[in-house]
Amino acid sequence: MSKLNARHVYTSESVSEGHPDKVCDQISDAILDACLAQDPRSRVACETLVTTNLAVNAGEITCGGWDAIDPEALAREVVRDIGYDREELLFSADTFEYINRLHGQSPDIARGVDRDRPEDQGAGDQGMMFGYATDETPERMPAPIVLSHQLLEALARRRKAREIPYLRPDSKAQVSVAYADGRPTGLTSVVIAHQTDDIPLARIARDLEAVAREVLAPSGLLRDDTRFYVNPTGAFIVGGPHGDTGLTGRKIIVDSYGGVGSHGGGAFSGKDPSKVDRSAAYYARFAARNIVAAGLAGKCEIQVAYAIGVAKPLSINVDTYGTERVPEERIQALLESGGIFDFRPAAMIAELGLARPDGWSYRQTAAYGHFGRTLFPWEQETKVEALRAAV
């Protein structure tokens, strides 16, 4: 809040689909997608670990159709799609060892969640979740994280199309944005760390900076003095799960708002929507985005808190960082009333179609951010007119 009217630089990073942690997120969410396709009432808490030529699944799954699901085949499909298809990478879709330690969900959790009346479904866990939105970009997202995601997506497309044939799957990007009076004014630096074959750094730096400039130019934030750092250690050849062990749920800031706003600490991937770590974070983003889109505030952060087994939130809090155009108390009352947004788990799941994804998949959320991409239902600005009418 103190930086709203100050000049400052804010930095966010993204990691690519080939990053070890993101490999895990995608495997976990591919298994979730398969479970929901068999049984929309599936209860899934699926964790993945990857390291040198090894992938492990562990966790708790209750699914009426589990016998039709082959988690090993799903894991190999995900790894192949990402691009780990060469033995020399020491993690390959056809060669890694697979260990399955998935088992059923605790009946104590099921007792707290399941209800005779679906609308009374309790929260799958206690905790607090946050949703955030800002009017500084068309995506209603902070500029540093949006640009970091866009840069890595562009590099992944070029890698898969063999336009830059020496690129390997693992990569990171970091974008630093200068702000004045709460608005982005320019890019101060861009960092790209990309796994490659063993070729001269000068060629890598030239090619990747050219892609970065092409991707970032439409933002209008490139400056003459924007600094580019490509593989600044000099080489990035050993990478992926052979270079670093990966785990599900370890990139919660990359997945959300790049460090802007607050975070409740819960990860998303591998969790079915009965777990409010995921569904309430999505719904809070849905509400915050619509509040900003309706012009009620320039920035909006919503915190919602739950007790396990209890349907109604324990609290809902709104912070507009001094950008409100109607009183914060009025926005708070709209959220608490349940008339426009209903934060009970069953209502959130039903409104956003979280148990029956249509035209999207959870696996798609598991790389390049869960927010800011309009293919997801929580990114739709469907409550704007209702909000404007209410105030």
Side-chain angles (χ1 to χ4, degrees):
M1 264 186 287
S2 62
K3 289 184 175 178
L4 256 183
N5 296 311
R7 293 182 179 274
H8 67 283
V9 175
Y10 199 88
T11 301
S12 296
E13 76 158 357
S14 178
V15 298
S16 74
E17 63 203 70
H19 185 281
D21 295 331
K22 283 289 146 201
V23 173
C24 293
D25 286 345
Q26 289 166 91
I27 292 172
S28 292
D29 273 339
I31 293 171
L32 170 62
D33 284 326
C35 289
L36 293 176
Q38 292 289 328
D39 176 9
R41 292 180 59 82
S42 292
R43 298 291 182 257
V44 179
C46 180
E47 309 296 342
T48 305
L49 175 148
V50 294
T51 187
T52 303
N53 266 333
L54 174 68
V56 180
N57 279 132
E60 301 77 47
I61 293 179
T62 300
C63 170
W66 177 248
D67 290 345
I69 296 171
D70 184 345
E72 178 178 354
L74 290 170
R76 294 190 187 280
E77 176 188 346
V78 168
V79 170
R80 185 173 289 104
D81 287 349
I82 291 169
Y84 287 108
D85 54 7
R86 297 154 57 187
E87 285 191 45
E88 67 190 88
L89 300 179
L90 297 181
F91 183 80
S92 170
D94 295 317
T95 61
F96 68 72
E97 178 187 358
Y98 179 77
I99 298 174
N100 182 353
R101 292 294 183 269
L102 295 164
H103 57 85
Q105 184 191 46
S106 163
D108 294 340
I109 297 175
R111 186 181 303 116
V113 175
D114 297 334
R115 293 289 187 272
D116 292 336
R117 297 196 315 162
E119 62 268 28
D120 294 332
Q121 174 180 324
D125 202 352
Q126 71 178 48
M128 65 283 188
M129 299 85 214
F130 291 87
Y132 179 84
T134 172
D135 63 3
E136 68 185 70
T137 65
E139 296 84 359
R140 319 282 188 201
M141 288 285 287
I145 189 66
V146 167
L147 297 175
S148 296
H149 288 325
Q150 290 175 353
L151 177 50
L152 288 187
E153 284 187 281
L155 287 168
R157 287 193 297 269
R158 284 161 172 79
R159 170 176 62 84
K160 291 180 175 181
R162 305 295 294 168
E163 293 175 15
I164 307 180
Y166 57 78
L167 293 181
R168 294 179 174 184
D170 193 1
S171 62
K172 291 183 175 183
Q174 182 174 289
V175 176
S176 300
V177 178
Y179 284 79
D181 298 324
R183 312 303 298 181
T185 60
L187 302 180
T188 61
S189 64
V190 177
V191 182
I192 303 170
H194 209 302
Q195 185 188 17
T196 69
D197 294 339
D198 187 4
I199 65 169
L201 178 60
R203 178 183 173 189
I204 299 168
R206 181 193 69 224
D207 292 349
L208 271 56
E209 180 175 334
V211 173
R213 288 186 177 277
E214 178 184 332
V215 172
L216 299 172
S219 72
L221 298 175
L222 274 177
R223 307 190 309 200
D224 292 341
D225 62 349
T226 301
R227 294 164 292 165
F228 288 84
Y229 301 89
V230 177
N231 287 3
T233 65
F236 183 8
I237 297 168
V238 177
H242 175 56
D244 289 289
T245 296
L247 294 169
T248 299
R250 216 160 46 172
K251 287 292 177 283
I252 59 176
I253 300 304
V254 171
D255 284 346
S256 52
Y257 307 102
V260 176
S262 306
H263 199 293
F268 301 146
S269 289
K271 297 178 180 178
D272 74 86
S274 75
K275 295 166 180 59
V276 286
D277 274 352
R278 187 166 213 166
S279 54
Y282 289 175
Y283 200 77
R285 160 65 178 175
F286 176 58
R289 176 165 184 154
N290 276 269
I291 286 167
V292 169
L296 277 59
K299 301 179 190 293
C300 181
E301 179 179 273
I302 297 169
Q303 185 207 55
V304 58
Y306 293 88
I308 189 169
V310 179
K312 188 176 180 180
L314 305 181
S315 66
I316 300 174
N317 182 69
V318 178
D319 188 349
T320 57
Y321 295 87
T323 67
E324 67 274 10
R325 299 179 185 114
V326 299
E328 266 190 5
E329 294 80 3
R330 182 64 180 137
I331 300 172
Q332 179 100 19
L334 287 173
L335 292 173
E336 291 176 340
S337 71
I340 298 177
F341 298 103
D342 189 340
F343 282 85
R344 292 177 300 166
M348 296 187 297
I349 292 168
E351 183 170 358
L352 297 181
L354 299 180
R356 300 175 183 270
D358 182 12
W360 61 280
S361 69
Y362 282 102
R363 179 178 164 188
Q364 289 174 298
T365 70
Y368 311 118
H370 292 244
F371 307 120
R373 293 186 285 160
T374 54
L375 76 158
F376 301 132
W378 50 91
E379 295 297 316
Q380 306 310 305
E381 297 176 354
T382 55
K383 302 286 190 177
V384 169
E385 295 309 316
L387 286 165
R388 289 173 176 166
V391 296

